[in-house]
Amino acid sequence: MQPNTLAIHAGYEKDEQLTMSVPLYQTTAFEFKSTEHGANLFALKELGNIYTRLSNPTTDVFERRFAEVEGGAAALATASGMAAIFYAIANCTKVGDNIVATDKLYGGTYNQFVHTLKRFGVEVRFFDTFNVQEAEKLIDENTKAIFFESISNPSIDIPDIETIVNIAKKHNVLSIVDNTVATPYLFRPFEWGIDISVHSTSKYVTGQGLAMGGIIVERKGLNEFLKGNDRYSHFNEPDMSYHGLVYTDLEFPAFCLRARLGLMRDLGSVPAPFNSWLMIQGLETLKVRIKEHCENTMKIAKFLKAHPKVKVVKYPLLEGDNNYANAVKYLKGGASGLLSFDVGSFDIAKSAIDRLKIFSLVTNIGDTKSIVTHSASTTHQQLSDEDLLACGVTPGLIRLSVGIEDVDDLINDLDNALK
Ligand code: PLP
C-alpha cells in the first residue's frame, strides 16, 4: 500500500464497537486479569499493556502507522523531538563514545550535542555539511552514529546523503537522520539505506501547531546489522535490568525495543495519549498538507526572487540555489515549507515583518498557518555581527514557514509589507 493509504489505515484493527476513529485511551495504567497475567506481562512471556510510560494502545497505533508510512520496521513515540533525538543517541552510546554530525543543525539539537551530551561523556564531532567526506576522518572505534538533517532547520540545506550513508556503512556505524522538515512524503530515509530516522512531530505531523511530540523509526533488517556487531555490544549482551534479555536474540526490531524497555522506562519522556491521538489526526492529512506547503512555498520563492527589494532568496528547489542538485536528487515532489530571503538591512527586515498581516511572528515551523521569523532580533540577538555571519544569519534575513492559506493572499501580504 502507498504511504497515504497507510497514514489513514495502518496499525488499527477496529475494536468491538467497530469505532471508525482510533479510540483515545487516556489512562495511566491497565488492569491485569490475574496475578499470573500480571507476572507474565512483566516477564515478557505475554505482550500487553501495563503502564502508559511503557506502552499505550493509542500511542501504539500512532507508532505502527508512522513506521509504515515511512517504510520502517518499528517506531517509538516520545514527548518531543528533542527527546527522540536524545533517546536515539543514548540508545547507541555510553560514556567515552562519540558521534559525528553535520554542522548545520537545529539550534536545540546543537545545544543538546555540545552541552548536554558532553556532560554525559559523549563527544560530538562536527563536519562540514557541504563537504561530508570530512566525516570519515572523524570516525574511530568509539564512534556510534553519524547524525544529519535531511533538510536542515534553520539553514535550509541538504547534505550529500548518499555519501554520508556510504561512509556509515563502510565503517559499520549507524546513520541517523532528522527527517522533521522533509517528512516521510518528501524524503524516504530507508530507501537511501539510512538506519534510523527521528522526527519532531510537533511540526508538519501534528500540522496545526497543536501538540508536542517526537518519534524514532528504525529500518527493516536493522537487527542483522546490530547482531554480533562489536560497536553495539549492548544489543548483543544480556540486559540485567530486563531479565538478562539479549535484544538481538528476539524477533522484534531491537533498536526501538531497547529504547522503550530501557530508556523510556527509566527516563520517561512519554507522549500523552491525547497528543498521540492528535498526531494520528495530523498524519491522516499530512500528504495533502505537505503538497500545499511545497506549492505555496515555490510560488512565494519565485515571487520574492523577482522582487526588486529582495537581495537573495534561499529555497532548495529554486534553480541556482546551492542545494538544487541535492534537492532534485533526494526530495520527492517538493522541498517543504521553509524559505529565507534577505532584504539588505536589519531595519528594512524589522519594518517589513511588522507590516505583515497574515504571517505570525513565531519561532515554530510546519504549521498550517504561515509563520515569519527574524533571527537577528530574536533567536540570534545575542550574537555579534561576525558570529551572525558565521551562522549564515544576516541582519536582513527573514525566514518563512509557509502555511497552506491561499497563496495569492500570502503574496499580497508580502508585497504590501515590502512596499
Ligand atoms: N529537529 C528539528 C529539525 C526541529 O526543527 C526541531 C524543533 O524546531 C526539533 C528537532 C525539536 O523538536 P521539538 O521542538 O518537538 O522538541
Side-chain angles (χ1 to χ4, degrees), residues 118-174:
K118 188 175 176 195
R119 284 172 58 86
F120 281 36
V122 174
E123 185 197 349
V124 183
R125 302 170 175 179
F126 292 99
F127 61 94
D128 185 349
T129 305
F130 294 109
N131 185 12
V132 299
Q133 288 290 356
E134 276 184 4
E136 193 155 18
K137 293 195 290 273
L138 304 176
I139 294 173
D140 63 21
E141 70 278 10
N142 295 323
T143 304
K144 297 298 160 73
I146 303 190
F147 185 97
F148 61 99
E149 294 177 3
S150 43
I151 302 178
S152 63
N153 177 28
S155 73
I156 325 179
D157 291 311
I158 300 165
D160 175 354
I161 295 171
E162 196 174 14
T163 302
I164 295 178
V165 174
N166 285 342
I167 293 171
K169 294 216 180 301
K170 179 173 163 194
H171 294 274
N172 240 348
V173 170
L174 285 169

Short mmCIF file of all heavy atoms in Angstrom, two decimals, residues 118-174:
data_model
loop_
_atom_site.label_atom_id
_atom_site.label_comp_id
_atom_site.label_asym_id
_atom_site.label_seq_id
_atom_site.Cartn_x
_atom_site.Cartn_y
_atom_site.Cartn_z
N LYS A 118 27.85 16.29 26.17
CA LYS A 118 29.22 16.42 26.69
C LYS A 118 29.25 16.10 28.19
O LYS A 118 30.11 15.38 28.67
CB LYS A 118 29.71 17.84 26.43
CG LYS A 118 31.17 18.05 26.74
CD LYS A 118 31.57 19.44 26.32
CE LYS A 118 33.02 19.67 26.71
NZ LYS A 118 33.35 21.09 26.66
N ARG A 119 28.26 16.65 28.92
CA ARG A 119 28.20 16.38 30.37
C ARG A 119 27.94 14.90 30.65
O ARG A 119 28.27 14.39 31.71
CB ARG A 119 27.10 17.23 31.03
CG ARG A 119 27.49 18.68 31.20
CD ARG A 119 26.30 19.50 31.67
NE ARG A 119 25.76 18.99 32.93
CZ ARG A 119 26.20 19.32 34.14
NH1 ARG A 119 27.19 20.19 34.25
NH2 ARG A 119 25.66 18.82 35.22
N PHE A 120 27.32 14.22 29.69
CA PHE A 120 27.06 12.79 29.86
C PHE A 120 28.22 11.96 29.32
O PHE A 120 28.14 10.74 29.23
CB PHE A 120 25.78 12.40 29.11
CG PHE A 120 24.50 12.75 29.83
CD1 PHE A 120 24.39 13.91 30.58
CD2 PHE A 120 23.39 11.92 29.76
CE1 PHE A 120 23.21 14.24 31.24
CE2 PHE A 120 22.21 12.23 30.43
CZ PHE A 120 22.13 13.40 31.16
N GLY A 121 29.30 12.62 28.91
CA GLY A 121 30.50 11.90 28.47
C GLY A 121 30.48 11.44 27.03
O GLY A 121 31.26 10.58 26.64
N VAL A 122 29.59 12.02 26.22
CA VAL A 122 29.55 11.67 24.79
C VAL A 122 30.00 12.89 23.98
O VAL A 122 29.43 13.98 24.12
CB VAL A 122 28.13 11.22 24.36
CG1 VAL A 122 28.06 11.01 22.85
CG2 VAL A 122 27.72 9.95 25.10
N GLU A 123 31.02 12.70 23.17
CA GLU A 123 31.56 13.81 22.38
C GLU A 123 30.86 13.87 21.02
O GLU A 123 30.57 12.82 20.44
CB GLU A 123 33.06 13.56 22.17
CG GLU A 123 33.79 14.68 21.46
CD GLU A 123 35.15 14.23 20.89
OE1 GLU A 123 35.61 13.12 21.22
OE2 GLU A 123 35.72 15.00 20.11
N VAL A 124 30.61 15.09 20.53
CA VAL A 124 30.05 15.22 19.17
C VAL A 124 31.09 15.94 18.31
O VAL A 124 31.58 17.00 18.66
CB VAL A 124 28.71 15.98 19.17
CG1 VAL A 124 28.15 16.03 17.75
CG2 VAL A 124 27.71 15.29 20.10
N ARG A 125 31.45 15.29 17.21
CA ARG A 125 32.45 15.84 16.28
C ARG A 125 31.72 16.32 15.02
O ARG A 125 31.02 15.51 14.39
CB ARG A 125 33.45 14.75 15.90
CG ARG A 125 34.14 14.18 17.13
CD ARG A 125 34.94 12.94 16.79
NE ARG A 125 35.66 12.50 17.98
CZ ARG A 125 36.44 11.44 18.02
NH1 ARG A 125 36.59 10.68 16.93
NH2 ARG A 125 37.07 11.11 19.13
N PHE A 126 31.88 17.59 14.71
CA PHE A 126 31.12 18.15 13.59
C PHE A 126 31.91 18.14 12.28
O PHE A 126 33.12 18.35 12.28
CB PHE A 126 30.70 19.59 13.91
CG PHE A 126 29.69 19.64 15.02
CD1 PHE A 126 30.08 19.94 16.32
CD2 PHE A 126 28.35 19.38 14.77
CE1 PHE A 126 29.15 19.98 17.36
CE2 PHE A 126 27.42 19.42 15.80
CZ PHE A 126 27.82 19.71 17.09
N PHE A 127 31.19 17.90 11.18
CA PHE A 127 31.80 18.01 9.86
C PHE A 127 30.98 18.95 8.99
O PHE A 127 29.80 19.21 9.25
CB PHE A 127 32.00 16.63 9.20
CG PHE A 127 30.73 15.85 8.96
CD1 PHE A 127 30.06 15.93 7.75
CD2 PHE A 127 30.19 15.04 9.94
CE1 PHE A 127 28.90 15.20 7.51
CE2 PHE A 127 29.03 14.31 9.73
CZ PHE A 127 28.38 14.39 8.51
N ASP A 128 31.64 19.44 7.93
CA ASP A 128 31.04 20.44 7.05
C ASP A 128 29.90 19.80 6.24
O ASP A 128 30.11 18.82 5.52
CB ASP A 128 32.16 20.95 6.11
CG ASP A 128 31.71 22.08 5.21
OD1 ASP A 128 30.50 22.34 5.14
OD2 ASP A 128 32.59 22.68 4.56
N THR A 129 28.72 20.39 6.35
CA THR A 129 27.53 19.89 5.64
C THR A 129 27.76 19.85 4.12
O THR A 129 27.16 19.03 3.43
CB THR A 129 26.32 20.81 5.96
OG1 THR A 129 26.19 20.86 7.38
CG2 THR A 129 25.03 20.33 5.36
N PHE A 130 28.65 20.73 3.64
CA PHE A 130 28.91 20.78 2.19
C PHE A 130 30.17 20.03 1.79
O PHE A 130 30.60 20.09 0.66
CB PHE A 130 28.97 22.24 1.71
CG PHE A 130 27.64 22.92 1.85
CD1 PHE A 130 27.44 23.90 2.81
CD2 PHE A 130 26.57 22.55 1.05
CE1 PHE A 130 26.20 24.50 2.97
CE2 PHE A 130 25.33 23.14 1.19
CZ PHE A 130 25.15 24.12 2.15
N ASN A 131 30.79 19.37 2.78
CA ASN A 131 31.97 18.57 2.46
C ASN A 131 31.92 17.33 3.35
O ASN A 131 32.74 17.15 4.27
CB ASN A 131 33.24 19.40 2.72
CG ASN A 131 34.48 18.65 2.30
OD1 ASN A 131 34.41 17.61 1.63
ND2 ASN A 131 35.63 19.15 2.72
N VAL A 132 30.95 16.47 3.08
CA VAL A 132 30.65 15.39 4.01
C VAL A 132 31.73 14.31 4.07
O VAL A 132 31.76 13.52 5.01
CB VAL A 132 29.27 14.74 3.71
CG1 VAL A 132 28.15 15.76 3.83
CG2 VAL A 132 29.25 14.08 2.35
N GLN A 133 32.65 14.33 3.09
CA GLN A 133 33.79 13.39 3.15
C GLN A 133 34.57 13.57 4.43
O GLN A 133 35.20 12.63 4.93
CB GLN A 133 34.74 13.62 1.95
CG GLN A 133 34.19 13.16 0.62
CD GLN A 133 34.11 11.64 0.52
OE1 GLN A 133 34.52 10.93 1.42
NE2 GLN A 133 33.53 11.16 -0.57
N GLU A 134 34.53 14.80 4.99
CA GLU A 134 35.23 15.09 6.25
C GLU A 134 34.82 14.14 7.37
O GLU A 134 35.58 13.90 8.30
CB GLU A 134 34.88 16.51 6.74
CG GLU A 134 35.69 17.61 6.14
CD GLU A 134 35.30 18.94 6.79
OE1 GLU A 134 34.48 18.98 7.73
OE2 GLU A 134 35.83 19.96 6.32
N ALA A 135 33.60 13.60 7.28
CA ALA A 135 33.09 12.74 8.36
C ALA A 135 34.00 11.53 8.57
O ALA A 135 34.22 11.09 9.70
CB ALA A 135 31.67 12.27 8.03
N GLU A 136 34.54 11.03 7.46
CA GLU A 136 35.31 9.79 7.53
C GLU A 136 36.53 9.94 8.45
O GLU A 136 36.85 9.03 9.22
CB GLU A 136 35.75 9.37 6.12
CG GLU A 136 36.27 7.97 6.09
CD GLU A 136 36.15 7.31 4.73
OE1 GLU A 136 35.98 8.01 3.72
OE2 GLU A 136 36.26 6.07 4.70
N LYS A 137 37.15 11.11 8.40
CA LYS A 137 38.36 11.33 9.21
C LYS A 137 38.03 11.39 10.70
O LYS A 137 38.89 11.21 11.55
CB LYS A 137 39.02 12.66 8.82
CG LYS A 137 39.60 12.67 7.40
CD LYS A 137 40.55 13.83 7.19
CE LYS A 137 39.90 15.16 7.15
NZ LYS A 137 39.35 15.83 6.09
N LEU A 138 36.77 11.67 11.01
CA LEU A 138 36.38 11.85 12.43
C LEU A 138 35.99 10.53 13.10
O LEU A 138 35.86 10.45 14.31
CB LEU A 138 35.21 12.83 12.52
CG LEU A 138 35.43 14.20 11.88
CD1 LEU A 138 34.16 15.03 11.97
CD2 LEU A 138 36.57 14.93 12.59
N ILE A 139 35.79 9.50 12.29
CA ILE A 139 35.30 8.22 12.84
C ILE A 139 36.44 7.42 13.46
O ILE A 139 37.50 7.29 12.86
CB ILE A 139 34.60 7.40 11.73
CG1 ILE A 139 33.34 8.12 11.26
CG2 ILE A 139 34.28 5.98 12.19
CD1 ILE A 139 32.66 7.49 10.06
N ASP A 140 36.22 6.91 14.67
CA ASP A 140 37.19 5.98 15.27
C ASP A 140 36.43 4.82 15.89
O ASP A 140 35.21 4.67 15.67
CB ASP A 140 38.12 6.70 16.28
CG ASP A 140 37.35 7.27 17.47
OD1 ASP A 140 36.22 6.81 17.73
OD2 ASP A 140 37.87 8.18 18.14
N GLU A 141 37.11 4.00 16.71
CA GLU A 141 36.45 2.78 17.21
C GLU A 141 35.34 3.09 18.22
O GLU A 141 34.51 2.24 18.51
CB GLU A 141 37.49 1.78 17.78
CG GLU A 141 38.17 2.17 19.08
CD GLU A 141 39.36 3.13 18.90
OE1 GLU A 141 39.54 3.66 17.77
OE2 GLU A 141 40.08 3.35 19.88
N ASN A 142 35.33 4.34 18.73
CA ASN A 142 34.27 4.69 19.68
C ASN A 142 33.12 5.48 19.04
O ASN A 142 32.24 5.98 19.75
CB ASN A 142 34.86 5.52 20.84
CG ASN A 142 35.84 4.70 21.64
OD1 ASN A 142 35.64 3.50 21.85
ND2 ASN A 142 36.93 5.33 22.08
N THR A 143 33.15 5.60 17.71
CA THR A 143 32.07 6.34 17.04
C THR A 143 30.84 5.45 16.92
O THR A 143 30.93 4.33 16.42
CB THR A 143 32.54 6.80 15.64
OG1 THR A 143 33.74 7.56 15.80
CG2 THR A 143 31.48 7.63 14.95
N LYS A 144 29.69 5.98 17.35
CA LYS A 144 28.49 5.14 17.37
C LYS A 144 27.40 5.60 16.39
O LYS A 144 26.45 4.87 16.16
CB LYS A 144 27.91 5.09 18.79
CG LYS A 144 28.88 4.43 19.79
CD LYS A 144 29.17 2.98 19.43
CE LYS A 144 30.42 2.42 20.06
NZ LYS A 144 30.34 2.14 21.46
N ALA A 145 27.54 6.80 15.84
CA ALA A 145 26.50 7.24 14.90
C ALA A 145 26.98 8.41 14.06
O ALA A 145 27.85 9.17 14.49
CB ALA A 145 25.23 7.64 15.64
N ILE A 146 26.42 8.49 12.84
CA ILE A 146 26.55 9.72 12.03
C ILE A 146 25.17 10.34 11.98
O ILE A 146 24.19 9.68 11.62
CB ILE A 146 27.01 9.42 10.59
CG1 ILE A 146 28.33 8.65 10.59
CG2 ILE A 146 27.14 10.71 9.80
CD1 ILE A 146 28.96 8.52 9.20
N PHE A 147 25.08 11.61 12.37
CA PHE A 147 23.78 12.28 12.50
C PHE A 147 23.72 13.47 11.55
O PHE A 147 24.66 14.25 11.45
CB PHE A 147 23.62 12.78 13.95
CG PHE A 147 22.28 13.39 14.25
CD1 PHE A 147 21.28 12.62 14.84
CD2 PHE A 147 22.01 14.71 13.93
CE1 PHE A 147 20.03 13.18 15.11
CE2 PHE A 147 20.75 15.27 14.19
CZ PHE A 147 19.77 14.50 14.79
N PHE A 148 22.56 13.64 10.89
CA PHE A 148 22.39 14.80 9.99
C PHE A 148 20.90 15.07 9.81
O PHE A 148 20.06 14.24 10.19
CB PHE A 148 23.07 14.55 8.63
CG PHE A 148 22.51 13.36 7.88
CD1 PHE A 148 21.57 13.53 6.87
CD2 PHE A 148 22.91 12.07 8.21
CE1 PHE A 148 21.05 12.44 6.19
CE2 PHE A 148 22.39 10.97 7.52
CZ PHE A 148 21.46 11.15 6.53
N GLU A 149 20.58 16.23 9.24
CA GLU A 149 19.18 16.57 8.94
C GLU A 149 18.99 16.50 7.43
O GLU A 149 19.83 17.02 6.68
CB GLU A 149 18.85 17.99 9.46
CG GLU A 149 18.89 18.06 10.98
CD GLU A 149 18.64 19.46 11.56
OE1 GLU A 149 18.38 20.41 10.79
OE2 GLU A 149 18.73 19.59 12.79
N SER A 150 17.88 15.89 6.97
CA SER A 150 17.66 15.76 5.52
C SER A 150 17.44 17.14 4.89
O SER A 150 17.98 17.42 3.82
CB SER A 150 16.51 14.80 5.21
OG SER A 150 15.42 15.02 6.07
N ILE A 151 16.62 17.99 5.51
CA ILE A 151 16.58 19.42 5.17
C ILE A 151 16.84 20.13 6.49
O ILE A 151 16.08 19.96 7.44
CB ILE A 151 15.21 19.89 4.61
CG1 ILE A 151 14.82 19.09 3.37
CG2 ILE A 151 15.24 21.38 4.31
CD1 ILE A 151 13.43 19.46 2.80
N SER A 152 17.92 20.89 6.57
CA SER A 152 18.28 21.44 7.88
C SER A 152 17.43 22.65 8.24
O SER A 152 17.04 23.43 7.37
CB SER A 152 19.77 21.79 7.91
OG SER A 152 20.03 22.80 6.96
N ASN A 153 17.16 22.78 9.51
CA ASN A 153 16.45 23.93 10.06
C ASN A 153 17.39 24.62 11.04
O ASN A 153 17.88 23.95 11.94
CB ASN A 153 15.18 23.46 10.79
CG ASN A 153 14.45 24.63 11.44
OD1 ASN A 153 14.52 25.75 10.96
ND2 ASN A 153 13.76 24.36 12.54
N PRO A 154 17.69 25.89 10.94
CA PRO A 154 17.06 26.87 10.05
C PRO A 154 17.80 27.11 8.73
O PRO A 154 17.32 27.90 7.92
CB PRO A 154 17.14 28.15 10.89
CG PRO A 154 18.40 28.01 11.68
CD PRO A 154 18.53 26.53 11.97
N SER A 155 18.93 26.45 8.49
CA SER A 155 19.75 26.91 7.35
C SER A 155 19.19 26.47 5.99
O SER A 155 19.61 26.98 4.95
CB SER A 155 21.19 26.44 7.52
OG SER A 155 21.28 25.05 7.28
N ILE A 156 18.23 25.51 5.97
CA ILE A 156 17.59 25.03 4.72
C ILE A 156 18.63 24.46 3.74
O ILE A 156 18.71 24.86 2.59
CB ILE A 156 16.71 26.12 4.04
CG1 ILE A 156 16.02 27.02 5.07
CG2 ILE A 156 15.69 25.48 3.13
CD1 ILE A 156 15.16 28.12 4.47
N ASP A 157 19.46 23.56 4.25
CA ASP A 157 20.47 22.91 3.41
C ASP A 157 20.21 21.41 3.35
O ASP A 157 19.61 20.83 4.26
CB ASP A 157 21.87 23.17 3.98
CG ASP A 157 22.27 24.62 3.83
OD1 ASP A 157 22.12 25.16 2.72
OD2 ASP A 157 22.72 25.22 4.84
N ILE A 158 20.69 20.80 2.27
CA ILE A 158 20.53 19.35 2.07
C ILE A 158 21.91 18.75 1.81
O ILE A 158 22.54 19.08 0.81
CB ILE A 158 19.61 19.06 0.85
CG1 ILE A 158 18.24 19.70 1.10
CG2 ILE A 158 19.47 17.56 0.61
CD1 ILE A 158 17.38 19.81 -0.14
N PRO A 159 22.40 17.90 2.72
CA PRO A 159 23.74 17.36 2.50
C PRO A 159 23.76 16.27 1.44
O PRO A 159 22.70 15.84 0.96
CB PRO A 159 24.11 16.78 3.87
CG PRO A 159 22.81 16.47 4.52
CD PRO A 159 21.79 17.42 3.95
N ASP A 160 24.97 15.82 1.09
CA ASP A 160 25.13 14.71 0.16
C ASP A 160 24.87 13.41 0.95
O ASP A 160 25.77 12.80 1.51
CB ASP A 160 26.57 14.76 -0.40
CG ASP A 160 26.88 13.58 -1.28
OD1 ASP A 160 26.05 12.67 -1.39
OD2 ASP A 160 27.99 13.57 -1.84
N ILE A 161 23.60 13.04 0.98
CA ILE A 161 23.15 11.96 1.86
C ILE A 161 23.75 10.62 1.45
O ILE A 161 24.15 9.81 2.30
CB ILE A 161 21.60 11.91 1.87
CG1 ILE A 161 21.06 13.21 2.50
CG2 ILE A 161 21.08 10.68 2.61
CD1 ILE A 161 19.57 13.42 2.38
N GLU A 162 23.85 10.38 0.14
CA GLU A 162 24.37 9.09 -0.32
C GLU A 162 25.80 8.86 0.18
O GLU A 162 26.14 7.77 0.65
CB GLU A 162 24.33 9.06 -1.85
CG GLU A 162 24.49 7.67 -2.40
CD GLU A 162 24.30 7.61 -3.91
OE1 GLU A 162 24.30 8.68 -4.58
OE2 GLU A 162 24.17 6.50 -4.42
N THR A 163 26.61 9.90 0.13
CA THR A 163 28.00 9.77 0.60
C THR A 163 28.03 9.53 2.11
O THR A 163 28.80 8.70 2.61
CB THR A 163 28.82 11.03 0.21
OG1 THR A 163 28.76 11.15 -1.20
CG2 THR A 163 30.27 10.92 0.66
N ILE A 164 27.19 10.23 2.86
CA ILE A 164 27.14 10.03 4.32
C ILE A 164 26.80 8.56 4.61
O ILE A 164 27.44 7.91 5.44
CB ILE A 164 26.10 10.97 4.99
CG1 ILE A 164 26.52 12.43 4.84
CG2 ILE A 164 25.92 10.61 6.46
CD1 ILE A 164 25.54 13.43 5.42
N VAL A 165 25.79 8.04 3.92
CA VAL A 165 25.36 6.66 4.18
C VAL A 165 26.48 5.68 3.80
O VAL A 165 26.74 4.71 4.52
CB VAL A 165 24.04 6.34 3.44
CG1 VAL A 165 23.67 4.88 3.59
CG2 VAL A 165 22.91 7.22 3.97
N ASN A 166 27.15 5.95 2.69
CA ASN A 166 28.25 5.05 2.28
C ASN A 166 29.37 5.04 3.32
O ASN A 166 29.93 3.98 3.63
CB ASN A 166 28.82 5.48 0.92
CG ASN A 166 27.86 5.09 -0.20
OD1 ASN A 166 26.98 4.25 -0.01
ND2 ASN A 166 27.99 5.74 -1.34
N ILE A 167 29.69 6.20 3.87
CA ILE A 167 30.74 6.27 4.91
C ILE A 167 30.28 5.48 6.14
O ILE A 167 31.04 4.70 6.72
CB ILE A 167 31.05 7.74 5.27
CG1 ILE A 167 31.71 8.45 4.08
CG2 ILE A 167 31.95 7.83 6.51
CD1 ILE A 167 31.87 9.96 4.24
N ALA A 168 29.02 5.67 6.53
CA ALA A 168 28.49 4.94 7.70
C ALA A 168 28.59 3.43 7.47
O ALA A 168 29.03 2.68 8.35
CB ALA A 168 27.05 5.36 7.97
N LYS A 169 28.19 2.99 6.30
CA LYS A 169 28.19 1.54 6.01
C LYS A 169 29.62 1.00 5.98
O LYS A 169 29.90 -0.07 6.51
CB LYS A 169 27.49 1.26 4.67
CG LYS A 169 26.01 1.58 4.72
CD LYS A 169 25.16 0.62 3.92
CE LYS A 169 23.68 0.97 4.00
NZ LYS A 169 23.08 0.98 5.34
N LYS A 170 30.52 1.78 5.37
CA LYS A 170 31.92 1.33 5.26
C LYS A 170 32.51 1.09 6.66
O LYS A 170 33.29 0.16 6.87
CB LYS A 170 32.71 2.42 4.53
CG LYS A 170 34.18 2.13 4.35
CD LYS A 170 34.82 3.18 3.45
CE LYS A 170 36.32 3.13 3.60
NZ LYS A 170 36.96 4.33 3.04
N HIS A 171 32.13 1.94 7.63
CA HIS A 171 32.71 1.83 8.98
C HIS A 171 31.78 1.12 9.96
O HIS A 171 32.05 1.13 11.16
CB HIS A 171 33.08 3.23 9.48
CG HIS A 171 34.19 3.85 8.69
ND1 HIS A 171 35.51 3.62 8.96
CD2 HIS A 171 34.15 4.63 7.59
CE1 HIS A 171 36.26 4.27 8.07
NE2 HIS A 171 35.44 4.88 7.22
N ASN A 172 30.69 0.54 9.46
CA ASN A 172 29.78 -0.19 10.35
C ASN A 172 29.19 0.67 11.44
O ASN A 172 29.06 0.24 12.60
CB ASN A 172 30.57 -1.33 11.00
CG ASN A 172 29.95 -2.66 10.65
OD1 ASN A 172 28.85 -2.71 10.10
ND2 ASN A 172 30.65 -3.73 10.98
N VAL A 173 28.89 1.92 11.10
CA VAL A 173 28.36 2.88 12.08
C VAL A 173 26.91 3.19 11.72
O VAL A 173 26.56 3.29 10.53
CB VAL A 173 29.20 4.19 12.04
CG1 VAL A 173 28.55 5.29 12.84
CG2 VAL A 173 30.61 3.93 12.55
N LEU A 174 26.06 3.36 12.71
CA LEU A 174 24.65 3.68 12.47
C LEU A 174 24.50 5.07 11.85
O LEU A 174 25.17 6.01 12.29
CB LEU A 174 23.87 3.69 13.79
CG LEU A 174 23.53 2.36 14.44
CD1 LEU A 174 23.01 2.60 15.86
CD2 LEU A 174 22.47 1.63 13.62
#
